[in-house]
Short mmCIF file of all heavy atoms in Angstrom, two decimals:
data_model
loop_
_atom_site.label_atom_id
_atom_site.label_comp_id
_atom_site.label_asym_id
_atom_site.label_seq_id
_atom_site.Cartn_x
_atom_site.Cartn_y
_atom_site.Cartn_z
N GLY A 76 -3.93 -9.99 13.94
CA GLY A 76 -2.49 -10.13 13.67
C GLY A 76 -2.28 -11.28 12.71
O GLY A 76 -1.43 -11.12 11.77
N ALA A 77 -2.85 -12.38 12.91
CA ALA A 77 -2.75 -13.56 12.04
C ALA A 77 -3.28 -13.26 10.63
O ALA A 77 -2.62 -13.66 9.63
CB ALA A 77 -3.50 -14.71 12.60
N ILE A 78 -4.36 -12.54 10.55
CA ILE A 78 -4.88 -12.16 9.26
C ILE A 78 -3.93 -11.24 8.52
O ILE A 78 -3.70 -11.34 7.35
CB ILE A 78 -6.30 -11.47 9.34
CG1 ILE A 78 -7.29 -12.53 9.96
CG2 ILE A 78 -6.81 -10.97 8.03
CD1 ILE A 78 -8.63 -11.95 10.31
N ALA A 79 -3.36 -10.28 9.29
CA ALA A 79 -2.44 -9.30 8.64
C ALA A 79 -1.20 -10.08 8.10
O ALA A 79 -0.78 -9.82 6.97
CB ALA A 79 -1.95 -8.30 9.72
N GLU A 80 -0.75 -11.07 8.79
CA GLU A 80 0.45 -11.88 8.43
C GLU A 80 0.03 -12.66 7.15
O GLU A 80 0.76 -12.73 6.15
CB GLU A 80 0.70 -12.82 9.50
CG GLU A 80 2.13 -13.28 9.55
CD GLU A 80 2.40 -14.18 10.74
OE1 GLU A 80 2.24 -13.67 11.88
OE2 GLU A 80 2.70 -15.35 10.55
N TYR A 81 -1.16 -13.21 7.15
CA TYR A 81 -1.61 -14.06 6.01
C TYR A 81 -1.71 -13.20 4.72
O TYR A 81 -1.21 -13.58 3.69
CB TYR A 81 -2.99 -14.67 6.34
CG TYR A 81 -3.68 -15.34 5.19
CD1 TYR A 81 -3.19 -16.58 4.73
CD2 TYR A 81 -4.71 -14.77 4.58
CE1 TYR A 81 -3.78 -17.20 3.58
CE2 TYR A 81 -5.34 -15.37 3.43
CZ TYR A 81 -4.92 -16.64 3.02
OH TYR A 81 -5.49 -17.18 1.91
N LEU A 82 -2.34 -12.01 4.91
CA LEU A 82 -2.55 -11.18 3.67
C LEU A 82 -1.22 -10.61 3.18
O LEU A 82 -1.09 -10.41 1.98
CB LEU A 82 -3.59 -10.01 4.02
CG LEU A 82 -5.04 -10.47 4.25
CD1 LEU A 82 -5.86 -9.27 4.68
CD2 LEU A 82 -5.67 -11.11 3.03
N SER A 83 -0.34 -10.36 4.08
CA SER A 83 0.98 -9.75 3.72
C SER A 83 1.77 -10.67 2.80
O SER A 83 2.66 -10.21 2.04
CB SER A 83 1.79 -9.37 4.97
OG SER A 83 1.15 -8.47 5.70
N ARG A 84 1.45 -11.96 2.84
CA ARG A 84 2.25 -12.91 1.95
C ARG A 84 2.15 -12.55 0.48
O ARG A 84 3.03 -12.80 -0.30
CB ARG A 84 1.73 -14.32 2.13
CG ARG A 84 1.91 -14.87 3.56
CD ARG A 84 1.63 -16.34 3.61
NE ARG A 84 0.38 -16.69 2.90
CZ ARG A 84 -0.13 -17.95 2.84
NH1 ARG A 84 0.57 -18.94 3.39
NH2 ARG A 84 -1.21 -18.16 2.20
N ASP A 85 0.98 -11.88 0.09
CA ASP A 85 0.81 -11.59 -1.30
C ASP A 85 1.11 -10.09 -1.59
O ASP A 85 0.76 -9.59 -2.70
CB ASP A 85 -0.65 -11.90 -1.73
CG ASP A 85 -1.04 -13.29 -1.56
OD1 ASP A 85 -0.15 -14.14 -1.88
OD2 ASP A 85 -2.19 -13.62 -1.11
N LEU A 86 1.63 -9.36 -0.63
CA LEU A 86 1.73 -7.94 -0.85
C LEU A 86 3.24 -7.48 -0.74
O LEU A 86 4.03 -8.13 -0.11
CB LEU A 86 0.98 -7.18 0.24
CG LEU A 86 -0.51 -7.47 0.29
CD1 LEU A 86 -1.21 -6.77 1.46
CD2 LEU A 86 -1.19 -7.03 -1.00
N PRO A 87 3.53 -6.37 -1.47
CA PRO A 87 4.93 -5.90 -1.39
C PRO A 87 5.28 -5.11 -0.12
O PRO A 87 6.29 -4.51 -0.09
CB PRO A 87 4.97 -4.96 -2.65
CG PRO A 87 3.59 -4.61 -2.94
CD PRO A 87 2.67 -5.63 -2.36
N TYR A 88 4.39 -5.09 0.84
CA TYR A 88 4.67 -4.42 2.11
C TYR A 88 3.92 -5.17 3.23
O TYR A 88 3.18 -6.14 2.89
CB TYR A 88 4.08 -2.99 2.10
CG TYR A 88 2.62 -2.89 1.65
CD1 TYR A 88 1.60 -3.03 2.54
CD2 TYR A 88 2.31 -2.81 0.29
CE1 TYR A 88 0.24 -2.95 2.12
CE2 TYR A 88 0.99 -2.77 -0.13
CZ TYR A 88 0.00 -2.86 0.79
OH TYR A 88 -1.32 -2.88 0.38
N LYS A 89 4.22 -4.89 4.43
CA LYS A 89 3.64 -5.60 5.59
C LYS A 89 2.43 -4.92 6.19
O LYS A 89 2.48 -3.72 6.47
CB LYS A 89 4.67 -5.81 6.66
CG LYS A 89 5.75 -6.85 6.37
CD LYS A 89 5.55 -8.09 7.33
CE LYS A 89 6.34 -9.29 6.84
NZ LYS A 89 5.75 -9.97 5.72
N LEU A 90 1.38 -5.66 6.35
CA LEU A 90 0.26 -5.14 7.07
C LEU A 90 0.43 -5.41 8.53
O LEU A 90 1.10 -6.41 8.96
CB LEU A 90 -1.08 -5.84 6.59
CG LEU A 90 -1.52 -5.62 5.19
CD1 LEU A 90 -2.67 -6.53 4.83
CD2 LEU A 90 -1.95 -4.13 4.95
N THR A 91 -0.25 -4.62 9.41
CA THR A 91 -0.17 -4.93 10.85
C THR A 91 -1.63 -5.14 11.35
O THR A 91 -2.55 -4.91 10.54
CB THR A 91 0.42 -3.75 11.68
OG1 THR A 91 -0.48 -2.67 11.65
CG2 THR A 91 1.77 -3.32 11.06
N SER A 92 -1.72 -5.52 12.62
CA SER A 92 -3.07 -5.78 13.12
C SER A 92 -3.92 -4.52 13.02
O SER A 92 -5.18 -4.62 12.99
CB SER A 92 -3.04 -6.36 14.52
OG SER A 92 -2.28 -5.51 15.29
N ASP A 93 -3.27 -3.35 13.04
CA ASP A 93 -4.08 -2.10 12.96
C ASP A 93 -4.78 -1.89 11.56
O ASP A 93 -5.70 -1.12 11.44
CB ASP A 93 -3.17 -0.84 13.14
CG ASP A 93 -2.73 -0.73 14.62
OD1 ASP A 93 -3.39 -1.37 15.44
OD2 ASP A 93 -1.77 -0.01 14.88
N ASP A 94 -4.30 -2.71 10.57
CA ASP A 94 -4.92 -2.60 9.27
C ASP A 94 -6.10 -3.55 9.08
O ASP A 94 -6.76 -3.47 8.02
CB ASP A 94 -3.87 -2.98 8.20
CG ASP A 94 -2.69 -1.98 8.16
OD1 ASP A 94 -2.88 -0.78 8.20
OD2 ASP A 94 -1.54 -2.43 8.18
N VAL A 95 -6.34 -4.38 10.09
CA VAL A 95 -7.37 -5.38 9.92
C VAL A 95 -8.56 -5.09 10.84
O VAL A 95 -8.40 -4.83 12.02
CB VAL A 95 -6.78 -6.79 10.30
CG1 VAL A 95 -7.86 -7.88 10.20
CG2 VAL A 95 -5.60 -7.08 9.36
N PHE A 96 -9.76 -5.17 10.23
CA PHE A 96 -10.96 -4.96 11.01
C PHE A 96 -11.87 -6.20 10.83
O PHE A 96 -12.17 -6.54 9.65
CB PHE A 96 -11.71 -3.72 10.52
CG PHE A 96 -10.89 -2.49 10.73
CD1 PHE A 96 -10.03 -2.05 9.79
CD2 PHE A 96 -10.96 -1.73 11.93
CE1 PHE A 96 -9.19 -0.94 9.97
CE2 PHE A 96 -10.14 -0.67 12.15
CZ PHE A 96 -9.25 -0.25 11.18
N LEU A 97 -12.22 -6.84 11.94
CA LEU A 97 -13.06 -7.99 11.80
C LEU A 97 -14.54 -7.67 11.91
O LEU A 97 -14.95 -6.92 12.78
CB LEU A 97 -12.70 -9.02 12.94
CG LEU A 97 -11.33 -9.69 12.75
CD1 LEU A 97 -11.05 -10.58 13.98
CD2 LEU A 97 -11.32 -10.55 11.50
#
Side-chain angles (χ1 to χ4, degrees):
I78 295 171
E80 203 178 300
Y81 170 75
L82 292 174
S83 297
R84 296 192 313 182
D85 299 321
L86 302 176
Y88 52 89
K89 283 250 167 285
L90 294 172
T91 70
S92 52
D93 288 345
D94 297 312
V95 177
F96 299 88
L97 288 176

